[in-house]
Amino acid sequence: MGENNKKTDGQKKLQNFFLRVANYGKSIFGKAEFNFDKFNNLCMNLRIINALRNFKEKPRFLTLEEYQNLILDPTDNILKKTMRQLNFKLAFKIAKYLRLPEKDVYLKYAFKTIKKIEVEDDSEVNTAYNKLMPMLKNLENISYIDIAKKCIKYKKFKLGAKFLENEKSSIVKIPQYLELKDWKKSIELAIQSNDINALMIVLDNIYKVEAKSLGGGKQINKVFV
């Protein structure tokens, strides 16, 4: 353990030394003699490569050439590979450095956080919601419906209902509340929409589900009490 720490510290010191040397060289050249953008990009790339190599759980030992090829490949780029490793801290940095869509990283992180919840009690739900909501609400064109669908897929129904509350459109929320079997909320939203077709679809859906579970619909009136 101490050996690894010494090695990491040595790498950091060496990297800082080269950066100071490069900055010194940069200071004695003019813009016509030195490509500052190329220098900054190279430093940024080296920092990302070092971070990938030093990631304790799943290090990736990429050469500079391999890394640059990944950046140029839109189908399987470095950001996707980093998120697959669940190294979201580095993924956020890469997205920012390379001006890639940060929204993808936030959503992937949110979905992984939702999936990891083991017991969906009120405490776990509130913790996950309070952790994710501050960052999600700052994203443009965020779909709380998509997030709620993921919650339902992973059987995190209470959390899905909390995210649905942030969606403004009544109509688009109805299918998810039907999926959650929240009949009261489904009917309430259908009435709010002032759409008779939406209300009929909701009532028909409730009837079919409850009639099946109650044995042919003999006790279906209990659903609406």
Side-chain angles (χ1 to χ4, degrees):
M1 189 74 178
E3 195 74 30
N4 288 334
N5 286 336
K6 285 181 181 179
K7 188 177 179 181
T8 302
D9 289 340
Q11 289 174 340
K12 288 179 180 178
K13 287 179 181 178
L14 186 60
Q15 183 179 349
N16 288 331
F17 171 74
F18 282 129
L19 285 172
R20 288 197 300 272
V21 171
N23 276 318
Y24 174 75
K26 178 179 166 183
S27 68
I28 61 175
F29 289 103
K31 289 184 178 180
E33 302 167 288
F34 188 88
N35 189 326
F36 293 100
D37 289 336
K38 186 176 180 180
F39 167 75
N40 288 332
N41 286 334
L42 182 60
C43 290
M44 177 188 70
N45 290 341
L46 288 174
R47 292 192 70 176
I48 292 174
I49 290 171
N50 284 336
L52 288 167
R53 290 175 176 175
N54 294 326
F55 184 47
K56 292 181 180 179
E57 294 179 21
K58 297 176 183 177
R60 296 189 66 88
F61 299 100
L62 297 175
T63 64
L64 179 59
E65 184 179 0
E66 288 171 335
Y67 167 77
Q68 288 172 330
N69 287 336
L70 282 173
I71 292 176
L72 296 173
D73 182 3
T75 59
D76 195 20
N77 61 35
I78 190 66
L79 185 58
K80 289 181 181 179
K81 285 185 177 293
T82 306
M83 286 193 289
R84 279 203 292 269
Q85 289 181 305
L86 305 184
N87 188 356
F88 289 104
K89 186 176 180 180
L90 180 58
F92 284 122
K93 289 182 180 179
I94 291 173
K96 187 176 181 180
Y97 286 152
L98 303 181
R99 295 182 177 85
L100 296 171
E102 292 181 62
K103 181 178 177 181
D104 294 347
V105 184
Y106 281 107
L107 289 177
K108 189 80 172 179
Y109 175 71
F111 296 155
K112 287 295 179 183
T113 301
I114 292 165
K115 188 177 181 180
K116 282 172 65 177
I117 297 174
E118 294 182 2
V119 181
E120 200 193 17
D121 57 26
D122 290 339
S123 176
E124 287 288 328
V125 167
N126 290 330
T127 298
Y129 181 81
N130 293 332
K131 178 182 180 181
L132 296 175
M133 200 52 206
M135 68 179 191
L136 292 173
K137 69 181 181 182
N138 291 323
L139 299 179
E140 290 185 11
N141 302 318
I142 185 69
S143 171
Y144 293 105
I145 295 295
D146 289 343
I147 297 171
K149 284 179 179 178
K150 282 289 183 181
C151 291
I152 293 170
K153 178 183 176 181
Y154 298 138
K155 302 188 185 304
K156 309 300 186 296
F157 303 115
K158 291 180 181 179
L159 186 56
K162 283 184 76 71
F163 280 117
L164 276 177
E165 292 172 4
N166 296 284
E167 185 61 49
K168 295 178 181 177
S169 171
S170 298
I171 288 290
V172 298
K173 287 195 285 189
I174 291 174
Q176 274 61 58
Y177 278 111
L178 288 173
E179 187 77 21
L180 293 168
K181 294 185 180 180
D182 189 337
W183 307 145
K184 183 179 179 181
K185 191 70 176 179
S186 301
I187 294 171
E188 180 184 312
L189 291 171
I191 293 171
Q192 286 177 6
S193 71
N194 294 316
D195 187 334
I196 188 64
N197 290 325
L199 182 58
M200 294 304 295
I201 289 170
V202 167
L203 294 176
D204 183 61
N205 186 286
I206 295 172
Y207 181 83
K208 287 178 180 177
V209 173
E210 291 296 332
K212 185 177 179 180
S213 64
L214 295 173
K218 294 177 181 178
Q219 303 177 58
I220 193 66
N221 60 308
K222 290 185 178 181
V223 175
F224 303 104
V225 175

